């Protein structure tokens, strides 16, 4: 579908990419994930019909794109939404709003809730007026389209050369036996969680079991990295479970995909031992970095990552409909 604004001096065309050959056109605006686009297109995680442009002649005014796992028929996240920041403010806002409205009407299946929008932003984006304007141009358009901020998250990175904590004798670690072995603990961790996505699920009526199962089946269970990396932490001698960590590789980076301490053992600093174990497992693979993320409001988890030597290199804003 193509939309034309005949009221402008020069018509604005809103359309999807004609094919992968137009990737260079899409790349005339920039974002931190640009380097992933070519591989995503080749792997089927992106489709030209999910990548849209607002154009005036050959000038790219704005762009938007959705992502999905290669086996999905519907987009699972909205992660590119950019506008030419050299445009006058009112025009920026108008172009962004119309691009979102036009593209979403074609990309998001009718009758379904639009997928979450995620934007990576500088750690100090609120304090930097220029960065704040860039962020708010996009998020204001998302909000005008019905989106609301669910959470701001810290994006974290451990880099080679950062000291690794030595194992202590407070916990012993074993491999995860099977799906149910981990699900039992994930279900417990949901209780009292500070994670905004988990809290939102509980508020919408999810049981702890359903939250755990969906997290496993829609993310953890899809990783192709070795399950042998996954660990359950237990008290020495008794075998009583304390928590778990899921080191993994996604399509882009080695990550700490999930970790948690069960409610009965919170408040004793075990999170440090569990995170250290997951970090050691990935570091032993000679990885170039380890990525992780936690909610800005999850202060205990953020402090644990800081103690383990992870640096906050970005933040992420997550919007939902």
């Amino acid at each position: 579908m193509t939309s034309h604004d005949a009221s402008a001096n020069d018509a604005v065309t809103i359309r999807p990419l004609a094919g992968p050959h137009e990737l260079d056109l899409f790349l005339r605006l920039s974002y931190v994930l640009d380097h992933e686009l070519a591989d995503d297109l080749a792997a089927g995680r992106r489709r030209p019909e999910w990548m849209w442009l607002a154009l005036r002649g050959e000038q790219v005014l704005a762009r938007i794109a959705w992502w999905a796992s290669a086996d999905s028929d519907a987009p699972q996240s909205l992660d590119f939404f950019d506008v030419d920041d050299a445009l006058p403010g009112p025009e920026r806002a108008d172009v962004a709003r119309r691009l979102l409205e036009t593209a979403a009407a074609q990309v998001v299946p009718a009758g379904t809730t639009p997928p979450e929008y995620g934007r990576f932003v500088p750690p100090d984006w609120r304090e930097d007026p220029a960065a704040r304007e860039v962020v708010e141009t996009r998020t204001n358009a998302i909000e005008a389209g019905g989106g609301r901020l669910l959470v701001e998250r810290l994006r974290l990175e451990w880099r080679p050369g950062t000291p690794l904590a030595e194992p202590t004798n407070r916990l012993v670690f074993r491999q995860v036996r099977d799906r149910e072995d981990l699900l039992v603990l994930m279900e417990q961790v949901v209780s009292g969680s500070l994670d905004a996505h988990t809290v939102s699920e509980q508020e919408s009526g999810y049981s702890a079991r359903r939250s755990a199962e969906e997290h496993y089946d829609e993310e953890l269970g899809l990783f192709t990295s070795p399950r042998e990396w996954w660990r359950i932490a237990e008290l020495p001698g008794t075998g009583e479970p304390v928590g778990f960590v899921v080191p993994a590789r996604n399509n882009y980076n080695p990550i700490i995909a999930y970790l948690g301490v069960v409610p009965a053992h919170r408040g004793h600093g075990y999170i440090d031992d569990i995170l250290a174990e997951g970090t050691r497992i990935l570091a032993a693979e000679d990885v170039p970095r380890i990525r992780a993320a936690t909610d800005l409001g999850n202060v205990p988890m953020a402090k644990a990552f800081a103690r383990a030597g992870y640096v906050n290199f970005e933040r992420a804003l997550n919007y939902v409909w």
Side-chain angles (χ1 to χ4, degrees):
M1 175 179 177
T2 302
S3 171
H4 293 279
D5 179 5
S7 65
N9 291 332
D10 296 301
V12 174
T13 300
I14 297 177
R15 65 167 177 83
L17 295 191
H21 64 279
E22 286 199 314
L23 179 58
D24 285 347
L25 186 63
F26 194 84
L27 288 169
R28 289 186 187 175
L29 297 182
S30 64
Y31 180 51
V32 295
L33 296 180
D34 283 348
H35 65 283
E36 297 176 357
L37 287 171
D39 284 346
D40 281 351
L41 276 166
R45 294 186 291 267
R46 297 191 192 274
R47 302 178 186 180
E49 61 267 28
W50 293 352
M51 303 172 70
W52 284 62
L53 296 168
L55 298 160
R56 181 180 291 119
E58 290 299 306
Q59 181 188 5
V60 177
L61 305 179
R63 64 179 187 170
I64 192 169
W66 285 261
W67 177 98
S69 57
D71 58 353
S72 176
D73 291 329
Q76 295 171 312
S77 69
L78 169 59
D79 58 350
F80 274 77
F81 186 34
D82 293 296
V83 62
D84 182 349
D85 292 295
L87 296 173
E91 185 179 5
R92 282 203 312 269
D94 181 62
V95 167
R97 177 189 57 78
R98 289 194 293 115
L99 174 61
L100 173 62
E101 183 179 275
T102 303
Q106 297 300 310
V107 173
V108 178
T112 67
T113 301
E116 186 173 296
Y117 169 60
R119 176 80 187 184
F120 296 150
V121 299
D124 62 347
W125 71 273
R126 283 189 177 83
E127 290 73 43
D128 180 340
R132 183 167 187 155
E133 184 175 6
V134 167
V135 172
E136 291 181 345
T137 295
R138 290 134 180 89
T139 57
N140 288 345
I142 293 291
E143 290 172 357
R148 65 172 180 86
L149 180 66
L150 174 66
V151 67
E152 183 168 341
R153 290 171 61 78
L154 303 175
R155 300 195 73 215
L156 305 156
E157 185 173 271
W158 182 93
R159 296 160 184 165
T162 303
L164 284 167
E166 293 295 327
T168 70
N169 59 4
R170 301 205 315 152
L171 298 173
V172 294
F173 293 90
R174 65 169 176 83
Q175 293 182 10
V176 175
R177 297 188 185 102
D178 52 30
R179 179 177 182 272
E180 184 62 25
D181 192 29
L182 188 59
L183 277 178
V184 168
L185 298 182
M186 291 175 65
E187 186 176 354
Q188 294 180 50
V189 164
V190 166
S191 176
S193 173
L194 297 177
D195 178 83
H197 287 87
T198 302
V199 171
S200 178
E201 289 175 350
Q202 301 307 291
E203 290 175 346
S204 67
Y206 276 41
S207 66
R209 179 71 182 192
R210 181 181 174 187
S211 288
E213 287 179 340
E214 289 197 3
H215 191 168
Y216 188 101
D217 294 335
E218 295 177 8
E219 182 185 358
L220 307 184
L222 302 180
F223 291 130
T224 58
S225 49
R227 300 285 175 89
E228 290 79 15
W229 291 352
W230 301 6
R231 293 290 187 270
I232 289 177
E234 299 175 337
L235 293 178
T238 69
E240 182 179 350
V242 168
F244 59 87
V245 62
V246 179
R249 277 185 185 270
N250 61 18
N251 292 317
Y252 310 102
N253 291 291
I255 60 171
I256 299 294
Y258 195 22
L259 75 161
V261 177
V262 299
H265 292 291
R266 290 174 182 161
H268 301 289
Y270 289 130
I271 191 68
D272 291 334
D273 302 76
I274 296 171
L275 175 56
E277 177 72 5
T279 304
R280 283 192 297 268
I281 288 168
L282 290 175
E285 300 295 318
D286 195 28
V287 296
R289 73 190 70 83
I290 301 170
R291 292 278 174 86
T294 193
D295 291 2
L296 181 62
N298 192 343
V299 176
M301 190 70 76
K303 287 184 174 179
F305 277 111
R307 288 192 297 270
Y310 286 74
V311 297
N312 173 213
F313 70 98
E314 271 180 344
R315 291 189 183 186
L317 304 177
N318 295 149
Y319 280 76
V320 295
W321 276 260

